[in-house]
Structure formats: structure tokens, C-alpha cells
Amino acid sequence: MRLRLVRQNTNFDFFSRWRLWLGLSALLIVVSFASFLLQGLNYGIDFRGGTTIRTESTEPVDVGTYRAALETLALGDVSISEVFDPTFGPDQNVAMIRIQAQEGEEAVTATLIEEVGVALQAVDPGLKLPFASVESVGPKVSGELIQTAAIAVVLAIAAVLIYIWLRFEWQFAVGAVVALVHDVILTIGIFSELQIKFDLAIIAALLTIVGYSLNDTVVVFDRVRENLIKYKSKDLNEVLNISINETLSRTFMTSATTLLALIALFVLGGDVIRGFVFAMIWGVIVGTYSSIFVASAILLWLGVKRDWSKPTDTTGNQFGNIDA
């Protein structure tokens, strides 16, 4: 017996309340904007500036012990991770410590670096001082990183718009892009609302979410395009319902297996990747939702020109019989 999360031949009506789903999404987008404007994001060191310290020790690194030792210094946002660096040889015990820029200072001062060394050496007598390297990122560079990250997300969504427009009709492209913007805004919104640290890893998660959501949407739209030709006499909402029901099993199996891996990483992966994994979990959920209830609802709202004077073996591409 094969495991099925969704039974075969489902016949759910996804569009009996499609205005309600769009209204709910619009409300969540407004809440996300309001949260972002009122309290902003909890930017990490990548975007606020700070100092990166690499330590070397003759004893194994205990990240938890290091973190507890630095908490007494009240340094704010501190990230600690054990790293592999080939420049330190095979028997290495190297850690990377990232400390946010202190208020009123361009970077962590030399005096504070010394205090960090003393605190760490108290819990790790094998720690070598001075530190192997100390590097600072100023506020100006951090501001440039924010701009570059925003441009990366916007360009990714623009590329998706062009791709879908070439592959399908423009109505499909608008539906797909609205769904992607919906996913990105809601992800930024929940990070703002919960004040979870927002750094470059989250930007990577946003770009991954765009790709994941697009994949889901294209699978549904491919089936819609096939069924528009197959069911010429049916209304568009009927064709959309048939198409989503036909791909529902695949959609839920993909999302469920992805979530299993992500939840395991969230529970067992540690603090270093927890923000990234949380963004991915949220992105998979809202991406699956938007593929069904946002992208397709926008397509239903805009409508699709169905010109059946052309041969039925066309691919549905607006530029003619182009192999998709």
C-alpha cells in the first residue's frame, strides 16, 4: 500500500470563496507593512556593522561555554560558531565570534577586545592570545549590503516575471509575481513582528523561497494550460479547480517532505542556522498557500484569452508554437 497524504481524484472547490482568500492575503500584507514601518527589522551584524574575531585554542571549542562567558559583558548581538580553517592545520580548534557594533562606536574597541580575550581564556585556558584575526565591518558597508540584498530580491522577482511571461500568457505572469511578492512580504513581516535576527542568511532564504514558490506555481500553471485546451467548453474557474486538484497530491507531498527535513534542522541544527531554517519553514507554508489561493485566484480575476481558432497542438505560449 502506498502512502497518500491526499486521496486520488479529489474534487475540492478552491474558488467558491476566492475573494476571501485574496482579502486575507491583502490583510496580512498590510499587517506586515505596518509591523515593518512601526518596529522595523532586528538586523544582524551583517547589516548593522560589527567585529568578527577568529580564535584558536589547544582544546576543543565549546560554543555554549564561550557564549555564557561573553553574556556577562553585555555585548548585544553575539554570534559564535566553530569553523574549519585549513590555514590552522589538521588539529585545529577554531571559532568565529561576531559582535555587533557598540552604540556610539564604529567598531568594537581594542579595550573591549581585550576583555573578550580575558573572559574566554577564563573558561578555555588553551585559548591563544592575541586572537588569530580581528576584522570590523562599519555602518557604511552594512548599509551597502542592505541595498545590495534588496536589489537581489527585486531582480529575482523581475526575472521570474519575464520568464513566466515568455512561457505563458501575461495573466499567468502577473499571478505568479503577485504570489512571489506576497511570500516575500509575509516572510519579512513575520521577522519584523517576532523580531527574529535578520541577516544575509535570511536574504538567501528569501531567494530560495522565491524559487520554491515559483516551482509550485509553474506546476499548477502547466496543468492549467493543458486543461484549457482539453476542456474548451468549461469555465475558467472549473478548469482551475480541476488543475489544482490534479496536482494537489504532488504539491502536498513535496511540501510535507521538505518540511520534515526543515523541522529536523530547526530542532537539531543549533542557533547558527535556526533563523535561516525558520524562514524556509515559513516560506514553504506560505509558498504552498500562495500557489493555490493567490496565483490562481489572480489568474481567475484577470481571466485568460481563449482563442480556439488556432490549432489545438499549440503550447499556449503568446509567441506561438514555441517548445516550452
Side-chain angles (χ1 to χ4, degrees), residues 6 10 14 35 39 65 67 72 76 87 108 122 126 130-131 133 175 181 188 201-202 256 259 277 279 315 322:
V6 180
T10 58
F14 293 98
S35 177
Q39 59 184 2
T65 301
R67 183 174 289 110
T72 60
T87 61
V108 177
F131 291 120
S133 69
V181 172
I188 294 174
I202 309 306
L259 285 173
V277 176
T315 64
I322 299 175

Side-chain angles (χ1 to χ4, degrees), residues 294-308:
V294 177
S296 299
I298 292 292
L299 182 60
L300 177 62
W301 183 34
L302 294 174
V304 179
K305 182 179 179 181
R306 302 167 75 175
D307 183 3
W308 306 122

Side-chain angles (χ1 to χ4, degrees), residues 118-131:
V118 171
L120 292 179
Q121 204 166 48
V123 297
D124 181 6
L127 185 75
K128 297 181 181 179
L129 294 177
F131 291 120

Side-chain angles (χ1 to χ4, degrees), residues 169-231:
E169 299 289 340
W170 69 267
Q171 295 94 333
F172 289 85
V174 172
V177 168
V178 169
L180 296 183
V181 172
H182 165 275
D183 299 344
V184 170
I185 291 176
L186 291 195
T187 302
I188 294 174
I190 197 168
F191 269 78
S192 173
E193 186 64 30
L194 300 180
Q195 287 295 289
I196 302 172
K197 186 170 65 176
F198 193 91
D199 53 23
L200 284 177
I202 309 306
I203 298 298
L206 287 175
L207 295 175
T208 307
I209 290 167
V210 167
Y212 183 91
S213 180
L214 175 64
N215 180 64
D216 257 2
T217 303
V218 167
V219 168
V220 174
F221 280 0
D222 263 332
R223 188 59 58 90
V224 171
R225 183 173 60 179
E226 293 170 5
N227 287 335
L228 282 172
I229 298 174
K230 184 177 179 181
Y231 303 108

